[in-house]
Each structure stands twice: as structure tokens, then as C-alpha cells.
């Protein structure tokens, strides 16, 4: 008797989550043993797991937002709220965040498997799950960042939208907007899905997709009450800590490229080379999705808007992490790999090696952005 598709998906997902975390833990232990031999294991894991944006998320989860405009206001409250809720049980913010992301990644991969299975076959679904779990920057699905929770809700939104369950799709998109501003890219994508189902005839009910932005409105209301600035989310990005404002993507690329080629320090060149490489990879994936007749237009539109939101800045930052939001692109990669099925294991192996390399840099505290 063949196992049911749902059962097969769960087995694949749980195996992928387990393998990715075993690799992550093995690399972290190796780094601590080699570079920080005097640091106790658990202490080292905690200290080296929290860096950059994770510091802000943990601060918000433990202490809330500051009583004045602060760079932390640029971080939406969805992830810190979930971590805070679990802290009632764990009494520790880092442990809670790690558990939240373990569950969230499992949910994300399950919805991804079901989404791809509805578009392709079981082989493509299995490959897609492993491809995301072992992505070169999959360490951010494990560390205390909002990527896992965002991908879980965004993947659920696409799954329900493609299944014709618009109410659930909008609710999941609202969750995504609570985790990351990138969630607004789901709104036009859901509108396209509804248009597709109505024969491309607009209907008043389509305006309901705007409800997905409700968490952003509520956050603005909270900030208006808390510090008197309903647009704190946007104003925080312009503070010196970030110095960000909407800029054509080619301007950001040029600035990042210039820093990379003129840097005299090898470490600096490496950092900005990653930004350029993953930024261009995101652009290439978006272009490929539009060129492929097999990729749903809603997914291509979502990925394009999501990429533009992160690339339209004075300089490219965190592109390796942000590319995880382009998860629907696994369909494109899976289609390309289908022509060479024997290359799939090699692709996953190479991706896993890159993930371990990135985790090594992150564990050493040398990952910037």
C-alpha cells in the first residue's frame, strides 16, 4: 500500500529539519571547540546564536519596544510576540526562539511540500523541501530571526490561494505581514489568484485581500499610542543605524559593487561579494520565473516585488538572508533540475556544503548583515 501524500510529506519534512539542524549543531560545536575552547558548550551556543538582527528581536521579546523612536521599531512584533509567549514555558528567550523556529520551519516545509505537490509531482516536492532546508543561508531558518515564521505563513498563504481557499490565504498573508514587511508582496499576488479564478473579472470581494495588511495598521496604531509616531516602522529605517530609504536597485547594486572592488580588506570584500552574488541571484530567479510558462504568475509577481523591496536601497544588505523569502523560486529550480534528475543529489550536497560554510562564518561572529 502506498503511503498517503500527507504522510510522505511529513516524513520528508521531518527528515529535512532534522538533518539541517544536525549539520548546524555540528558546525557550531566544531567552531566552539576550535576557536572558543574555554567557553562552555551551552553558553557558546547561546552567545554565538544571537547576533545582528537577532539581538533586536530578543530585546523586543524580553523588554518590548523603547519609549522613543529607536532602530528596533523597524522590526515588526510578530516574531517577538511568539517568542514572548513561549517564554512563559521556557523562561529563556533564546531557547524559546530556537523552538519557535524549529516548529515554524517544519510548518514552512510542509506547506511548501503541499504547494509544490499541487503544481508538480512528489519528486519535485521532495526535492524542493530539501532544497530550502539545506539552502546556503538556511542557518537563518534556525537562528533567532523571523525567516522561518515568515516563510511558514507565506507558504501557507500561497497553498490556500492556489487551492481556492481565499479566506485562509488572506489570514495566512496577514500573519506574514506581522512577521516581515515583505508580507505586503503577498497582497497583489493573492489579487492575481482571485482574478484568475473569476476569469480575470474584478469583483468587489477582491478588496478583502487588503485585510492582510491589518497587522501593519495595528502596529502603526500601537506606535502612535506608544511613542506618538504611527510611521515609526518607516522612520526607524532612516535612523543612522540603518540609513535606508527607497532607492533604485541599480543604485544600490552600484554602491555595493564599488565597496566590494575597492575594499583593501579581504573580509570586507567577502561580505559585499555575498551581497552582490545573492542579490543578483534573486534577480535571476525572478527573471526566470517570468520567462517560464509553468510558473504561476502570482508567484512570479510576489517574488519580483519581494526582491525589489529588499534591493531598492542605497546599498544591498542582508541579501543572502532575504533570498529565503523567494521560496516559490524552488519551482523554477526544480523544473531545471528535472532535466538532469541525477544532478539533484549533487545540487543538494553542494548547497549543504555552502550552508555549513555560512554557519561556520556565522558561528565565528564574522557574518555581517
Amino acid at each position: 500500500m502506498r503511503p498517503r501524500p500527507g504522510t510522505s510529506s511529513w516524513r520528508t519534512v521531518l527528515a529535512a529539519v532534522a538533518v539541517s539542524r544536525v549539520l548546524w549543531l555540528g558546525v557550531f560545536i566544531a567552531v566552539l571547540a576550535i576557536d572558543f575552547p574555554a567557553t562552555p558548550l551551552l553558553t557558546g551556543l547561546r552567545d554565538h546564536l544571537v547576533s545582528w538582527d537577532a539581538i533586536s528581536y530578543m530585546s523586543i521579546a524580553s523588554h518590548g519596544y523603547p519609549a522613543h523612536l529607536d532602530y528596533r521599531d523597524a522590526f515588526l512584533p510578530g516574531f517577538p510576540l511568539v517568542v514572548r509567549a513561549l517564554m512563559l514555558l521556557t523562561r529563556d528567550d533564546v531557547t524559546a526562539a530556537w523552538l519557535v523556529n524549529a516548529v515554524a520551519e517544519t510548518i514552512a516545509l510542509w506547506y511548501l511540500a503541499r504547494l509544490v505537490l499541487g503544481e508538480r509531482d512528489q519528486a519535485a516536492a521532495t526535492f524542493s523541501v530539501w532544497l530550502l532546508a539545506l539552502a546556503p543561508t538556511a542557518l537563518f531558518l534556525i537562528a533567532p530571526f523571523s525567516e522561518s515564521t515568515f516563510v511558514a505563513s507565506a507558504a501557507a498563504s500561497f497553498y490556500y490561494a492556489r487551492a481556492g481557499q481565499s479566506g485562509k490565504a488572506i489570514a495566512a498573508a496577514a500573519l506574514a505581514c506581522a512577521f516581515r514587511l515583505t508580507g505586503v508582496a503577498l497582497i497583489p499576488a493573492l489579487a492575481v489568484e482571485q482574478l484568475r479564478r473569476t476569469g480575470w473579472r474584478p469583483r468587489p470581494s477582491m478588496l478583502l485581500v487588503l485585510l492582510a495588511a491589518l497587522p501593519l495598521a495595528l502596529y502603526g496604531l500601537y506606535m502612535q499610542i506608544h511613542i506618538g509616531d504611527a510611521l515609526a516602522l518607516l522612520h526607524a529605517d532612516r535612523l543612522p543605524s540603518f540609513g535606508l530609504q527607497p532607492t533604485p536597485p541599480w543604485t544600490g547594486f552600484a554602491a555595493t559593487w564599488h565597496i566590494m572592488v575597492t575594499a583593501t580588506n579581504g573580509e570586507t570584500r567577502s561580505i559585499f561579494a555575498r551581497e552582490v552574488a545573492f542579490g543578483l541571484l534573486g534577480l535571476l530567479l525572478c527573471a526566470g520565473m517570468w520567462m517560464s510558462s509553468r510558473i504561476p504568475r502570482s508567484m512570479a509577481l510576489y517574488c519580483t516585488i519581494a526582491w525589489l523591496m529588499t534591493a531598492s536601497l542605497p546599498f544591498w544588505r542582508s541579501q543572502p538572508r532575504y533570498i529565503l523569502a523567494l521560496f516559490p523560486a524552488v519551482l523554477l529550480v526544480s523544473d531545471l533540475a528535472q532535466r538532469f534528475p541525477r544532478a539533484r543529489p549533487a545540487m543538494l550536497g553542494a548547497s549543504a556544503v555552502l550552508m555549513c560554510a555560512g554557519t561556520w562564518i556565522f558561528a565565528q561572529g564574522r557574518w555581517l548583515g
Side-chain angles (χ1 to χ4, degrees):
M1 178 181 295
R2 290 184 177 180
R4 292 181 300 173
T7 303
S8 178
S9 295
W10 275 118
R11 290 175 179 173
T12 302
V13 165
L14 292 175
V17 170
V19 169
S20 66
R21 274 162 173 70
V22 167
L23 291 175
W24 166 84
L25 183 60
V27 171
F28 255 79
I29 291 175
V31 169
L32 292 175
I34 296 172
D35 294 343
F36 310 95
T39 304
L41 178 60
L42 291 181
T43 301
L45 286 174
R46 284 178 49 84
D47 293 346
H48 292 267
L49 188 61
V50 181
S51 63
W52 289 92
D53 289 359
I55 298 174
S56 299
Y57 282 124
M58 295 299 94
S59 173
I60 297 169
S62 298
H63 310 293
Y65 290 94
H68 53 82
L69 183 64
D70 184 87
Y71 72 92
R72 281 164 287 192
D73 297 339
F75 298 92
L76 288 169
F79 181 65
L81 282 173
V82 177
V83 172
R84 180 70 178 183
L86 194 56
M87 284 172 60
L88 297 175
L89 298 176
T90 64
R91 304 294 179 182
D92 178 77
D93 55 351
V94 179
T95 301
W98 194 90
L99 291 173
V100 164
N101 278 349
V103 173
E105 184 183 0
T106 302
I107 296 172
L109 294 179
W110 187 83
Y111 273 112
L112 179 67
R114 304 300 293 165
L115 176 64
V116 176
L117 190 59
E119 305 290 334
R120 303 293 188 267
D121 56 16
Q122 185 63 58
T126 299
F127 175 73
S128 297
V129 165
W130 282 101
L131 185 63
L132 183 59
L134 299 178
T137 55
L139 66 99
F140 291 106
L141 299 175
I142 301 173
F145 292 77
S146 61
E147 267 62 31
S148 278
T149 50
F150 173 78
V151 174
S153 49
S157 182
F158 267 118
Y159 170 74
Y160 290 123
R162 296 294 290 173
Q165 302 181 55
S166 59
K168 291 182 179 180
I170 293 171
L175 281 177
C177 286
F179 293 123
R180 294 199 66 87
L181 187 58
T182 315
V184 299
L186 288 165
I187 296 176
L190 295 186
V192 168
E193 281 297 320
Q194 292 201 21
L195 280 171
R196 181 178 66 88
R197 292 188 173 277
T198 60
W200 302 99
R201 292 188 297 271
R203 294 181 179 178
S205 60
M206 289 180 54
L207 293 175
L208 290 176
V209 300
L210 297 176
L211 290 175
L214 182 59
L216 298 175
L218 293 176
Y219 179 62
L221 178 61
Y222 167 76
M223 279 299 171
Q224 179 63 39
I225 297 172
H226 186 56
I227 64 172
D229 186 358
L231 299 179
L233 175 66
L234 302 179
H235 294 158
D237 274 336
R238 292 181 170 86
L239 293 175
S241 299
F242 293 120
L244 302 179
Q245 58 185 356
T247 308
W250 52 85
T251 301
F253 166 76
T256 309
W257 178 272
H258 177 74
I259 296 174
M260 180 188 72
V261 298
T262 59
T264 57
N265 180 276
E267 186 74 12
T268 301
R269 285 196 300 271
S270 174
I271 292 169
F272 285 92
R274 290 197 297 267
E275 299 291 345
V276 169
F278 280 91
L280 293 179
L281 175 61
L283 176 60
L284 185 62
L285 290 173
C286 290
M289 293 179 77
W290 284 111
M291 293 171 63
S292 172
S293 60
R294 301 188 67 198
I295 303 295
R297 301 299 87 179
S298 59
M299 295 185 187
L301 178 62
Y302 159 78
C303 286
T304 301
I305 297 174
W307 181 82
L308 285 171
M309 291 178 68
T310 60
S312 300
L313 300 171
F315 60 93
W316 286 0
R317 59 182 299 273
S318 301
Q319 290 296 320
R321 174 158 58 94
Y322 292 155
I323 202 171
L324 293 172
L326 308 186
F327 66 91
V330 296
L331 273 176
L332 176 66
V333 179
S334 179
D335 288 346
L336 295 174
Q338 187 178 20
R339 302 177 183 179
F340 310 97
R342 293 184 179 180
R344 283 179 171 177
M347 291 176 62
L348 294 177
S351 188
V353 170
L354 291 175
M355 174 193 167
C356 289
T359 303
W360 188 281
I361 296 172
F362 185 92
Q364 289 180 321
R366 296 189 296 113
W367 188 287
L368 303 181

